[in-house]
Amino acid sequence: MHSPGLREAKKAATRSALARAVLRLSTRAGIDHVTIDAVAAEANVSVRTFHNYFSGKEDALLHFVSSLFDTIVERIEARPTDESFFCSVRTALIEAATSPDVGEPAEIVALLRLLDTDPGLTARSRDMELGDTVEARLAELCAQRGQPAHTLYPRMVLHNAITTIRVALEFWVTHHDDDPTTSAELATVLECAFDQLAAGLSQPIRPLNEPVDPIPEEH
């Protein structure tokens, strides 16, 4: 007989596998072309199992978003409390973006684009009150560090950091092969992007702004 802890861990793993399957398929074909049958086959489960966890593919993707945000917050919480909030957010985002548990850069970029453009995802994210969740977790982080929660600075840090990681990932996906062996290079690009953010945008810094050779097109 499985213990309650083991059962919950298996359920969490299945839920994560289903969400990742939806994300992979959406990256390949677009979310409109993803079927629940295809998701179940990708995750090696039955369609009934999928519906035991999610009402639809949008819910699965938003579960992934929520889990990713939880991971980032937990990484920020694990940083030293005397470290600047900017440095903690920077480290947490880079660690999450380069973690094999999160997904390939192209998948994350596709997900962020979907959140901006897909009406179904936008509506479901409002229903799930993801924006309110972000605000609540941000207030908790500020309280842990003895900082006032309802000020401009932490919001500027968080939202500028998220924009920076997104732009850097899009840059990476555009200019590099999606090769797991290049994760160290990805981390370097992300570090350089945050160096630029910290230095300001009045002047470009190196090596981030050295010319990049585009990937040759296949014929």
Side-chain angles (χ1 to χ4, degrees):
M1 181 179 295
H2 297 305
S3 67
L6 181 58
R7 284 197 299 271
E8 290 305 313
K10 290 182 67 176
K11 288 180 179 179
T14 300
R15 188 177 291 107
S16 177
L18 288 167
R20 288 286 301 276
V22 174
L23 178 56
R24 285 194 302 273
L25 293 173
S26 298
T27 303
R28 296 173 199 163
I31 191 171
D32 289 340
H33 299 287
V34 174
T35 66
I36 303 305
D37 285 346
V39 173
E42 179 80 5
N44 198 29
V45 300
S46 68
V47 171
R48 180 177 180 179
T49 296
F50 177 89
H51 286 298
N52 286 339
Y53 288 89
F54 300 112
S55 62
K57 54 193 176 183
E58 290 84 5
D59 282 345
L61 283 180
L62 290 175
H63 168 78
F64 183 89
V65 173
S66 179
S67 296
L68 177 58
F69 182 70
D70 286 343
T71 296
I72 292 168
V73 170
E74 289 166 3
R75 290 179 183 274
I76 296 172
E77 290 173 339
R79 301 298 301 169
T81 55
D82 59 350
E83 182 178 62
S84 75
F85 187 59
F86 174 80
C87 288
S88 295
V89 171
R90 167 183 175 150
T91 300
L93 282 172
I94 292 175
E95 288 178 350
T98 55
S99 169
D101 296 331
V102 169
E104 298 296 335
E107 295 173 353
I108 303 304
V109 168
L111 175 62
L112 292 172
R113 289 173 178 168
L114 279 171
L115 288 171
D116 283 344
T117 60
D118 186 82
L121 278 177
T122 302
R124 288 296 296 135
S125 66
R126 284 198 299 266
D127 292 342
M128 295 174 65
E129 299 179 339
L130 286 181
D132 292 342
T133 300
V134 171
E135 284 294 312
R137 298 299 294 272
L138 181 59
E140 291 174 6
L141 287 172
C142 291
Q144 290 169 5
R145 292 166 176 263
Q147 299 173 349
H150 303 293
T151 58
L152 183 60
Y153 174 73
R155 285 160 181 77
M156 289 191 67
V157 168
L158 185 62
H159 290 284
N160 277 284
I162 291 172
T163 299
T164 297
I165 208 85
R166 173 175 181 164
V167 171
L169 285 173
E170 289 177 341
F171 176 86
W172 172 262
V173 169
T174 301
H175 294 288
H176 295 78
D177 287 317
D178 201 11
D179 183 353
T181 63
T182 60
S183 59
E185 295 178 30
L186 171 59
T188 298
V189 169
L190 299 181
E191 292 282 4
C192 288
F194 275 99
D195 286 345
Q196 181 73 75
L197 178 62
L201 302 178
S202 60
Q203 295 291 333
I205 65 170
R206 295 182 178 229
L208 180 67
N209 295 286
E210 293 175 350
V212 177
D213 294 329
I215 301 172
E217 295 183 2
E218 295 182 0
H219 298 287

PDB file of all heavy atoms in Angstrom, residues 155-171:
ATOM      1  N   ARG A 155       8.048  45.977  -7.452  1.00  0.00           N
ATOM      2  CA  ARG A 155       7.307  45.692  -8.683  1.00  0.00           C
ATOM      3  C   ARG A 155       8.149  45.996  -9.917  1.00  0.00           C
ATOM      4  O   ARG A 155       8.123  45.258 -10.899  1.00  0.00           O
ATOM      5  CB  ARG A 155       6.010  46.499  -8.706  1.00  0.00           C
ATOM      6  CG  ARG A 155       4.966  45.944  -7.766  1.00  0.00           C
ATOM      7  CD  ARG A 155       3.884  46.938  -7.402  1.00  0.00           C
ATOM      8  NE  ARG A 155       2.942  46.300  -6.476  1.00  0.00           N
ATOM      9  CZ  ARG A 155       3.188  46.110  -5.188  1.00  0.00           C
ATOM     10  NH1 ARG A 155       4.345  46.507  -4.661  1.00  0.00           N
ATOM     11  NH2 ARG A 155       2.303  45.516  -4.414  1.00  0.00           N
ATOM     12  N   MET A 156       8.913  47.083  -9.856  1.00  0.00           N
ATOM     13  CA  MET A 156       9.804  47.390 -10.969  1.00  0.00           C
ATOM     14  C   MET A 156      10.864  46.310 -11.122  1.00  0.00           C
ATOM     15  O   MET A 156      11.191  45.896 -12.240  1.00  0.00           O
ATOM     16  CB  MET A 156      10.463  48.758 -10.756  1.00  0.00           C
ATOM     17  CG  MET A 156       9.520  49.927 -10.914  1.00  0.00           C
ATOM     18  SD  MET A 156      10.397  51.518 -10.969  1.00  0.00           S
ATOM     19  CE  MET A 156      11.280  51.346 -12.522  1.00  0.00           C
ATOM     20  N   VAL A 157      11.406  45.849 -10.012  1.00  0.00           N
ATOM     21  CA  VAL A 157      12.415  44.786 -10.077  1.00  0.00           C
ATOM     22  C   VAL A 157      11.823  43.531 -10.687  1.00  0.00           C
ATOM     23  O   VAL A 157      12.374  42.963 -11.649  1.00  0.00           O
ATOM     24  CB  VAL A 157      12.973  44.476  -8.670  1.00  0.00           C
ATOM     25  CG1 VAL A 157      13.788  43.181  -8.689  1.00  0.00           C
ATOM     26  CG2 VAL A 157      13.827  45.624  -8.169  1.00  0.00           C
ATOM     27  N   LEU A 158      10.696  43.076 -10.159  1.00  0.00           N
ATOM     28  CA  LEU A 158      10.120  41.813 -10.608  1.00  0.00           C
ATOM     29  C   LEU A 158       9.711  41.872 -12.078  1.00  0.00           C
ATOM     30  O   LEU A 158      10.058  40.992 -12.871  1.00  0.00           O
ATOM     31  CB  LEU A 158       8.917  41.446  -9.735  1.00  0.00           C
ATOM     32  CG  LEU A 158       8.283  40.082 -10.023  1.00  0.00           C
ATOM     33  CD1 LEU A 158       9.277  38.964  -9.781  1.00  0.00           C
ATOM     34  CD2 LEU A 158       7.046  39.869  -9.158  1.00  0.00           C
ATOM     35  N   HIS A 159       8.997  42.906 -12.460  1.00  0.00           N
ATOM     36  CA  HIS A 159       8.479  42.961 -13.828  1.00  0.00           C
ATOM     37  C   HIS A 159       9.574  43.251 -14.851  1.00  0.00           C
ATOM     38  O   HIS A 159       9.550  42.703 -15.962  1.00  0.00           O
ATOM     39  CB  HIS A 159       7.342  43.983 -13.913  1.00  0.00           C
ATOM     40  CG  HIS A 159       6.105  43.534 -13.201  1.00  0.00           C
ATOM     41  ND1 HIS A 159       5.248  42.588 -13.718  1.00  0.00           N
ATOM     42  CD2 HIS A 159       5.586  43.885 -11.994  1.00  0.00           C
ATOM     43  CE1 HIS A 159       4.252  42.383 -12.870  1.00  0.00           C
ATOM     44  NE2 HIS A 159       4.433  43.156 -11.817  1.00  0.00           N
ATOM     45  N   ASN A 160      10.554  44.067 -14.491  1.00  0.00           N
ATOM     46  CA  ASN A 160      11.681  44.284 -15.390  1.00  0.00           C
ATOM     47  C   ASN A 160      12.532  43.037 -15.517  1.00  0.00           C
ATOM     48  O   ASN A 160      13.054  42.737 -16.598  1.00  0.00           O
ATOM     49  CB  ASN A 160      12.537  45.459 -14.919  1.00  0.00           C
ATOM     50  CG  ASN A 160      11.989  46.800 -15.359  1.00  0.00           C
ATOM     51  OD1 ASN A 160      12.118  47.180 -16.523  1.00  0.00           O
ATOM     52  ND2 ASN A 160      11.371  47.515 -14.443  1.00  0.00           N
ATOM     53  N   ALA A 161      12.667  42.294 -14.421  1.00  0.00           N
ATOM     54  CA  ALA A 161      13.437  41.047 -14.471  1.00  0.00           C
ATOM     55  C   ALA A 161      12.744  40.014 -15.351  1.00  0.00           C
ATOM     56  O   ALA A 161      13.399  39.300 -16.132  1.00  0.00           O
ATOM     57  CB  ALA A 161      13.635  40.506 -13.057  1.00  0.00           C
ATOM     58  N   ILE A 162      11.420  39.913 -15.239  1.00  0.00           N
ATOM     59  CA  ILE A 162      10.676  38.962 -16.071  1.00  0.00           C
ATOM     60  C   ILE A 162      10.791  39.343 -17.544  1.00  0.00           C
ATOM     61  O   ILE A 162      10.991  38.480 -18.412  1.00  0.00           O
ATOM     62  CB  ILE A 162       9.205  38.906 -15.625  1.00  0.00           C
ATOM     63  CG1 ILE A 162       9.107  38.239 -14.248  1.00  0.00           C
ATOM     64  CG2 ILE A 162       8.349  38.142 -16.648  1.00  0.00           C
ATOM     65  CD1 ILE A 162       7.723  38.307 -13.627  1.00  0.00           C
ATOM     66  N   THR A 163      10.692  40.641 -17.837  1.00  0.00           N
ATOM     67  CA  THR A 163      10.852  41.091 -19.224  1.00  0.00           C
ATOM     68  C   THR A 163      12.255  40.784 -19.736  1.00  0.00           C
ATOM     69  O   THR A 163      12.433  40.338 -20.876  1.00  0.00           O
ATOM     70  CB  THR A 163      10.576  42.602 -19.331  1.00  0.00           C
ATOM     71  OG1 THR A 163       9.232  42.864 -18.928  1.00  0.00           O
ATOM     72  CG2 THR A 163      10.786  43.092 -20.757  1.00  0.00           C
ATOM     73  N   THR A 164      13.267  40.998 -18.890  1.00  0.00           N
ATOM     74  CA  THR A 164      14.652  40.735 -19.284  1.00  0.00           C
ATOM     75  C   THR A 164      14.860  39.261 -19.598  1.00  0.00           C
ATOM     76  O   THR A 164      15.475  38.917 -20.623  1.00  0.00           O
ATOM     77  CB  THR A 164      15.605  41.173 -18.163  1.00  0.00           C
ATOM     78  OG1 THR A 164      15.496  42.589 -17.975  1.00  0.00           O
ATOM     79  CG2 THR A 164      17.055  40.830 -18.501  1.00  0.00           C
ATOM     80  N   ILE A 165      14.347  38.382 -18.758  1.00  0.00           N
ATOM     81  CA  ILE A 165      14.537  36.954 -18.992  1.00  0.00           C
ATOM     82  C   ILE A 165      13.799  36.523 -20.253  1.00  0.00           C
ATOM     83  O   ILE A 165      14.286  35.695 -21.033  1.00  0.00           O
ATOM     84  CB  ILE A 165      14.091  36.133 -17.763  1.00  0.00           C
ATOM     85  CG1 ILE A 165      14.862  34.805 -17.678  1.00  0.00           C
ATOM     86  CG2 ILE A 165      12.619  35.813 -17.776  1.00  0.00           C
ATOM     87  CD1 ILE A 165      16.170  34.896 -17.001  1.00  0.00           C
ATOM     88  N   ARG A 166      12.646  37.119 -20.495  1.00  0.00           N
ATOM     89  CA  ARG A 166      11.893  36.763 -21.690  1.00  0.00           C
ATOM     90  C   ARG A 166      12.634  37.192 -22.957  1.00  0.00           C
ATOM     91  O   ARG A 166      12.773  36.409 -23.898  1.00  0.00           O
ATOM     92  CB  ARG A 166      10.511  37.405 -21.654  1.00  0.00           C
ATOM     93  CG  ARG A 166       9.739  37.208 -22.949  1.00  0.00           C
ATOM     94  CD  ARG A 166       8.341  37.738 -22.877  1.00  0.00           C
ATOM     95  NE  ARG A 166       7.640  37.507 -24.135  1.00  0.00           N
ATOM     96  CZ  ARG A 166       6.330  37.587 -24.283  1.00  0.00           C
ATOM     97  NH1 ARG A 166       5.568  37.885 -23.258  1.00  0.00           N
ATOM     98  NH2 ARG A 166       5.774  37.370 -25.456  1.00  0.00           N
ATOM     99  N   VAL A 167      13.098  38.445 -22.992  1.00  0.00           N
ATOM    100  CA  VAL A 167      13.805  38.948 -24.176  1.00  0.00           C
ATOM    101  C   VAL A 167      15.077  38.141 -24.413  1.00  0.00           C
ATOM    102  O   VAL A 167      15.411  37.799 -25.563  1.00  0.00           O
ATOM    103  CB  VAL A 167      14.121  40.446 -24.013  1.00  0.00           C
ATOM    104  CG1 VAL A 167      15.032  40.933 -25.125  1.00  0.00           C
ATOM    105  CG2 VAL A 167      12.839  41.259 -23.996  1.00  0.00           C
ATOM    106  N   ALA A 168      15.791  37.820 -23.341  1.00  0.00           N
ATOM    107  CA  ALA A 168      17.029  37.045 -23.483  1.00  0.00           C
ATOM    108  C   ALA A 168      16.741  35.632 -23.996  1.00  0.00           C
ATOM    109  O   ALA A 168      17.497  35.097 -24.825  1.00  0.00           O
ATOM    110  CB  ALA A 168      17.764  36.991 -22.149  1.00  0.00           C
ATOM    111  N   LEU A 169      15.672  35.012 -23.521  1.00  0.00           N
ATOM    112  CA  LEU A 169      15.309  33.675 -24.007  1.00  0.00           C
ATOM    113  C   LEU A 169      14.910  33.720 -25.478  1.00  0.00           C
ATOM    114  O   LEU A 169      15.279  32.833 -26.261  1.00  0.00           O
ATOM    115  CB  LEU A 169      14.176  33.094 -23.162  1.00  0.00           C
ATOM    116  CG  LEU A 169      14.553  32.585 -21.777  1.00  0.00           C
ATOM    117  CD1 LEU A 169      13.303  32.208 -20.992  1.00  0.00           C
ATOM    118  CD2 LEU A 169      15.493  31.381 -21.861  1.00  0.00           C
ATOM    119  N   GLU A 170      14.150  34.753 -25.869  1.00  0.00           N
ATOM    120  CA  GLU A 170      13.775  34.881 -27.268  1.00  0.00           C
ATOM    121  C   GLU A 170      15.012  35.086 -28.144  1.00  0.00           C
ATOM    122  O   GLU A 170      15.115  34.523 -29.241  1.00  0.00           O
ATOM    123  CB  GLU A 170      12.797  36.052 -27.437  1.00  0.00           C
ATOM    124  CG  GLU A 170      11.424  35.777 -26.849  1.00  0.00           C
ATOM    125  CD  GLU A 170      10.479  36.958 -26.947  1.00  0.00           C
ATOM    126  OE1 GLU A 170      10.983  38.094 -27.143  1.00  0.00           O
ATOM    127  OE2 GLU A 170       9.264  36.756 -26.838  1.00  0.00           O
ATOM    128  N   PHE A 171      15.963  35.875 -27.664  1.00  0.00           N
ATOM    129  CA  PHE A 171      17.231  36.080 -28.362  1.00  0.00           C
ATOM    130  C   PHE A 171      17.961  34.755 -28.520  1.00  0.00           C
ATOM    131  O   PHE A 171      18.477  34.425 -29.597  1.00  0.00           O
ATOM    132  CB  PHE A 171      18.072  37.079 -27.569  1.00  0.00           C
ATOM    133  CG  PHE A 171      19.450  37.326 -28.125  1.00  0.00           C
ATOM    134  CD1 PHE A 171      19.633  38.281 -29.115  1.00  0.00           C
ATOM    135  CD2 PHE A 171      20.547  36.633 -27.651  1.00  0.00           C
ATOM    136  CE1 PHE A 171      20.901  38.522 -29.628  1.00  0.00           C
ATOM    137  CE2 PHE A 171      21.814  36.860 -28.158  1.00  0.00           C
ATOM    138  CZ  PHE A 171      22.002  37.819 -29.150  1.00  0.00           C
TER     139      PHE A 171
END
